[in-house]
Amino acid sequence: MRPSRSLFGRLADGTEVHRWSLENGGVRLAVLSLGGIVQSLEVPDRRGRPANVSLGFDTVEAYTAADRYFGALVGRYGNRIAKGRFTLDGRTYRLSANDGGNSLHGGAAGFDKVVWEVEPFVSGADVGLRLSYTSADGEMGFPGALGTVVTYTLTRNGDWHVDYAATTDKPTVVNLTSHVYWNLGGEASGSVHGHELSLAASRYTPVDSSQIPTGEAAAVEGTPFDFRRAKKVGAEIRRAHPQLLHGRGFDHNWVLDKGSTAHPVEVAELRDPASGRTLRIATTEPGLQFYSGNFLDGTSAGTGGTVYRQGDGLCLETQHFPDSPNRPGFPSTVLRPGDTYRSATVHRFSAR
């Protein structure tokens, strides 16, 4: 089915926000021009019954009022940069600090807050959207005019591919990701603590009390952070571990055993035993931020009319590491003129 467009609403300044609908391989995907937001993603369960497995809202006003990045494209820099600053080639840049003095997900008006240009396409048996946005030199404090194209593809098998590309006219830093909140039982079905998660990572990056990495890559063995074998998300989430106290649960970057790769490699599996729905994630990225929805506080009601509370959804954000611009030992996020930033993540759905 060729992607279709409808008016979703208008921003306060009158700018139109459109909703694009795609369907392929038994999966239905709805995307907003605002923030590249995944507004809904319907997947069948083991009996073939579809349900929306992503948290989101029915109105533009709800998205602009919420500050939890529901379903959004995140940039220029996903995750945190300490004290809202970094130094590159001897020059220090001060960023928009929107998280206790740190810069989070690109600052107060990151990529999740802008309206993207959207071009639909059909390629053989696949359908998709190309989203483009040029971030001006100095926007949120980041150097360089950054031209970004993000491609959403829904394949005939029902896989959802996200391909990122960006170029710059000045040296800068880039770390793009997607902030979908997953609940494979359905977005209004309650806690995800019974979901089973596995991560192909034997290390993670501990954080301080402001959730900035300490610079260490610690072993997961013997800690609540060991998901090398599938276990329930809630199995150890209330354990009195210092790192769980810092994040009010899981809100950490896992160091993927595969490292950076030219092509996506499977690194995570999430399964809801009740519905049988399973999500497998493959990526080129060296890290994955697992966030267990700790800051959902009951102040937002979703598409199903249910108020979202702590643990009602979780995020699996493929990425480079947080605060990499200030950590020479972490994989570099520097992008220079003449080079192209590329990243790819594949979401594969099934039911068993």
Side-chain angles (χ1 to χ4, degrees):
M1 184 185 76
R2 185 172 182 82
S4 62
R5 188 183 80 162
S6 60
L7 181 65
F8 186 73
R10 288 180 171 83
L11 299 178
D13 65 0
T15 301
E16 291 185 345
V17 174
H18 293 104
R19 182 181 190 265
W20 289 88
S21 300
L22 301 82
E23 183 175 354
N24 211 3
V27 174
R28 295 177 181 174
L29 175 65
V31 176
L32 303 183
S33 56
L34 173 65
I37 289 168
V38 173
Q39 193 257 341
S40 69
L41 201 161
E42 294 184 21
V43 179
D45 66 6
R46 64 165 65 90
R47 297 182 181 179
R49 299 173 299 189
N52 175 21
V53 297
S54 67
L55 274 55
F57 305 114
D58 283 330
T59 67
V60 167
E61 292 77 14
Y63 279 107
T64 55
D67 61 353
R68 303 300 179 196
Y69 306 93
F70 285 89
L73 284 176
V74 171
R76 290 187 186 190
Y77 198 96
N79 220 308
R80 293 172 174 86
I81 296 178
K83 300 179 180 178
R85 64 175 184 248
F86 69 93
T87 299
L88 179 59
D89 295 341
R91 180 174 175 181
T92 297
Y93 296 91
R94 298 190 179 276
L95 310 175
S96 168
N98 58 328
D99 182 57
N102 302 317
S103 178
L104 174 64
H105 293 332
F111 283 3
D112 60 296
K113 300 293 195 302
V114 304
V115 174
W116 294 65
E117 294 290 330
V118 182
E119 177 189 357
F121 68 87
V122 177
S123 178
D126 301 337
V127 296
L129 304 170
R130 292 187 187 90
L131 299 95
S132 58
Y133 174 69
T134 298
S135 175
D137 182 16
E139 187 172 274
M140 295 297 105
F142 290 94
L146 188 78
T148 304
V149 177
V150 181
T151 304
Y152 289 169
T153 305
L154 199 57
T155 73
R156 61 182 176 182
N157 298 320
D159 298 342
W160 176 42
H161 292 231
V162 184
D163 294 280
Y164 307 85
T167 57
T168 184
D169 62 359
K170 293 181 181 179
T172 192
V173 295
V174 185
N175 188 28
L176 306 179
T177 190
S178 173
H179 206 279
V180 174
Y181 284 82
W182 300 106
N183 186 322
L184 298 184
E187 68 85 29
S189 64
S191 175
V192 295
H193 286 183
H195 283 32
E196 297 170 351
L197 175 67
S198 62
L199 299 172
S202 55
R203 295 178 296 157
Y204 76 106
T205 51
V207 296
D208 62 20
S209 59
S210 67
Q211 294 182 269
I212 294 296
T214 63
E216 178 188 8
V220 300
E221 187 171 359
T223 77
F225 295 83
D226 192 350
F227 284 89
R228 291 174 296 175
R229 292 187 178 182
K231 68 178 179 183
K232 290 184 177 180
V233 168
E236 297 185 86
I237 200 168
R238 301 199 183 279
R239 187 169 150 188
H241 188 284
Q243 286 296 309
L244 293 179
L245 296 176
H246 285 334
R248 301 187 191 179
F250 297 107
D251 191 8
H252 296 75
N253 168 67
W254 268 254
V255 179
L256 300 175
D257 291 339
K258 72 172 188 66
S260 296
T261 48
H263 302 286
V265 174
E266 188 171 314
V267 295
E269 180 177 289
L270 182 69
R271 180 174 182 266
D272 172 38
S275 67
R277 292 188 187 92
T278 300
L279 166 63
R280 290 176 292 140
I281 294 178
T283 187
T284 58
E285 289 293 286
L288 182 147
Q289 184 87 4
F290 165 35
Y291 167 55
S292 53
N294 318 321
F295 295 94
L296 300 178
D297 57 6
T299 58
S300 301
T303 52
T306 298
V307 170
Y308 294 146
R309 299 192 182 277
Q310 188 179 60
D312 281 354
L314 62 83
C315 301
L316 299 169
E317 306 158 64
T318 55
Q319 58 168 19
H320 271 55
F321 303 173
D323 202 33
S324 290
N326 295 312
R327 298 285 177 180
F330 285 179
S332 176
T333 55
V334 174
L335 177 66
R336 297 188 180 277
D339 295 335
T340 300
Y341 167 97
R342 296 192 188 278
S343 173
T345 295
V346 179
H347 307 80
R348 296 188 172 100
F349 302 97
S350 61
R352 64 176 188 259

